[in-house]
Amino acid sequence: MGLSEYFKPHADSNGTLGVTKNNYTIKERLVHLGGVFPMDDAVLEALPRASTFVSVEHCSESAFTITGKVVSRGKDEEQYICFLKVAFENQGNTMLRGEYESSKVAHSIMADFLPTPYGFGKYKVQDPPTYFYLSEFVDMDVTKRPDPAEFTRRLAQLHKLSESPTGKFGFAVPTCDGQVARNVDWEESWAVFFRKLLLGVCHRDVETNGPWPEMERATKQIADAVIPRLLGPLQEKGGGLKPCLIHGDLWEGNMGIVRETDRSILFDVGSYYAHNEMELGHWRCEFSSVFRDKAYTEAYLQNYPPAEPTEEFDDRNRLYSLQGAINYSAGHPKSSLRKTAYNNMCYLCEKYAPIDGIDEYDSNIDPSITGATITPHVTDIPLQHY
């Protein structure tokens, strides 16, 4: 039996061919596959060092992909272990291609800071359209808190060493925060780039959670007045703002500690070239409990000092956190992060561009003050762990 036969369509209890449905959750696809990992000849062709396939098994869990551990053997009988992600339809194509291209760039800068990427491609099986990302398998501890000094030194090094191929902000292909693509078209202006990025996720949030006139009014004021005020000066009067390669979805769920070396490592990247401080915006959000510890931000700023004006760093961080919070809200209907984002918008509008028709900022519901957190993806399979 050919390997693609593992993915042969099968009927469910109603006689429906399970794999032809194009809106399955990963949980549903796993059920329909009946415990069999969906392997394909295209993956074999991407195995490293012309090795021969030996086995594949499910490994870890993911909210948006099926993940596995692939064992192969070289001509010298040396064993190779790879990590395999599988996703479906156009969404899966964009998500895994973005991760592959992001990983290639980041790995070329710091080869020991994320697993070696081996390949990306499309399964030869036609229905459903299926895509894969293949990388080095790294034995890591994803429960251990990283040392703030070691982790932030390496993160700052990635930011400092990276160079945008165009000198602009953006990325060569669409990348994702979670499972949905961002707008990462190249832009000279960081303020223009961030405005487009934020408005994109705000539009998705309204589609998911419905209209909220006060928040939509605040969003417009953020886009039209606050962003130019806070981010425009970063590039004015000849001031330089280096586009840095960032992870793009950096919270503790997307990093681990390599057991062999005890060094930090990143995965699940969805990169683009941005103001380096953008990376820290996720750390303010409720889904990030470990990195909410101020020790991480303080250690990072010792390695990569804040941009001028330094006294506005925390306000920029609050602004940057909007993207992560609203993106999470858009992917998780009725999430509390929508209210948090709106409250942060109210704070920024009050301080930099007051308008009528929105609420007053309420410090009593500000997680950066109260310390409130959430358990991420409680309605999904937990995010991918190696």
Side-chain angles (χ1 to χ4, degrees):
M1 181 175 67
L3 285 171
S4 60
E5 288 295 302
Y6 279 117
F7 212 42
K8 184 177 180 180
H10 61 277
D12 62 16
S13 59
N14 296 317
T16 301
L17 289 179
V19 297
T20 64
K21 182 180 175 183
N22 62 11
N23 60 347
Y24 277 153
T25 66
I26 288 300
K27 285 182 179 180
E28 290 172 331
R29 291 191 186 275
L30 288 168
V31 170
H32 279 282
L33 288 166
V36 177
F37 193 93
M39 195 60 167
D40 188 89
D41 293 323
V43 177
L44 274 62
E45 296 171 2
L47 291 173
R49 303 175 183 87
S51 55
T52 301
F53 172 77
V54 175
S55 65
V56 62
E57 62 183 25
H58 288 280
C59 174
S60 73
E61 298 177 323
S62 170
F64 310 121
T65 64
I66 296 174
T67 52
K69 181 178 180 181
V70 180
V71 177
S72 63
R73 185 172 293 112
K75 294 180 180 179
D76 56 1
E77 295 301 311
E78 184 176 359
Q79 181 173 276
Y80 302 109
I81 303 178
C82 299
F83 186 81
L84 176 64
K85 281 187 176 183
V86 178
F88 306 91
E89 310 293 342
N90 290 335
Q91 176 180 286
N93 180 18
T94 301
M95 183 167 50
L96 296 187
R97 182 188 180 203
E99 181 173 359
Y100 176 59
E101 296 297 335
S102 299
S103 298
K104 284 198 302 181
V105 176
H107 189 267
S108 71
I109 299 167
M110 292 180 65
D112 65 345
F113 203 26
L114 73 165
T116 305
Y118 289 141
F120 158 79
K122 185 177 182 180
Y123 272 25
K124 295 183 179 182
V125 66
Q126 296 299 310
D127 186 15
T130 305
Y131 300 87
F132 73 93
Y133 168 59
L134 188 71
S135 74
E136 172 190 16
F137 182 92
V138 177
D139 183 19
M140 65 178 79
D141 185 346
V142 296
T143 64
K144 185 176 180 180
R145 293 171 65 103
D147 174 70
E150 186 269 350
F151 173 66
T152 60
R153 177 186 60 78
R154 285 161 64 73
L155 181 62
Q157 185 179 14
L158 174 66
H159 293 163
K160 289 177 179 179
L161 293 177
S162 61
E163 295 288 342
S164 169
T166 65
K168 301 178 181 180
F169 300 95
F171 202 66
V173 302
T175 60
C176 297
D177 185 345
Q179 62 179 331
V180 181
R182 311 179 178 95
N183 183 344
V184 291
D185 294 340
W186 297 109
E187 291 286 351
E188 294 273 5
S189 165
W190 169 242
V192 170
F193 179 91
F194 180 77
R195 183 180 190 275
K196 290 182 176 180
L197 186 72
L198 182 63
L199 288 178
V201 297
C202 289
H203 177 71
R204 284 183 45 232
D205 181 61
V206 171
E207 289 182 331
T208 299
N209 292 298
W212 185 355
E214 292 82 4
M215 184 172 184
E216 292 167 46
R217 191 173 295 117
T219 297
K220 186 177 187 303
Q221 187 71 346
I222 292 289
D224 294 345
V226 176
I227 289 175
R229 164 60 185 83
L230 273 177
L231 304 187
L234 298 176
Q235 289 180 280
E236 288 178 354
K237 299 178 181 179
L241 185 66
K242 178 183 183 294
C244 298
L245 186 79
I246 66 172
H247 178 289
D249 184 17
L250 186 55
W251 64 292
E252 58 269 16
N254 286 339
M255 64 80 56
I257 305 297
V258 181
R259 297 185 194 277
E260 184 178 357
T261 65
D262 206 35
R263 302 183 79 178
S264 55
I265 191 167
L266 306 178
F267 52 87
D268 273 1
V269 291
S271 298
Y272 54 99
Y273 292 90
H275 180 199
N276 66 295
E277 292 177 14
M278 181 70 188
E279 191 86 279
L280 313 185
H282 271 41
W283 299 4
R284 197 182 191 104
C285 297
E286 291 101 306
F287 55 72
S288 183
S289 56
V290 173
F291 291 162
R292 290 270 297 286
D293 186 333
K294 291 183 179 180
Y296 289 96
T297 297
E298 291 171 356
Y300 178 88
L301 294 178
Q302 290 178 4
N303 290 283
Y304 205 138
E308 296 288 348
T310 58
E311 63 271 16
E312 293 179 358
F313 167 81
D314 190 66
D315 291 337
R316 292 194 299 269
N317 183 255
R318 189 184 295 268
L319 177 64
Y320 292 157
S321 76
L322 296 178
Q323 188 272 331
I326 297 172
N327 185 79
Y328 189 93
S329 171
H332 300 79
K334 300 181 181 180
S335 167
S336 63
L337 270 72
R338 194 185 201 204
K339 188 172 183 179
T340 297
Y342 172 57
N343 193 48
N344 280 329
M345 287 181 174
C346 294
Y347 174 95
L348 292 167
C349 288
E350 283 181 19
K351 185 169 183 177
Y352 293 101
I355 56 169
D356 295 327
I358 65 173
D359 293 325
E360 292 185 1
Y361 162 73
D362 185 354
S363 62
N364 294 317
I365 59 171
D366 186 341
S368 67
I369 296 174
T370 67
T373 62
I374 65 167
T375 301
H377 305 282
V378 292
T379 59
D380 299 316
I381 296 175
L383 279 180
Q384 130 74 37
H385 287 165
Y386 281 56

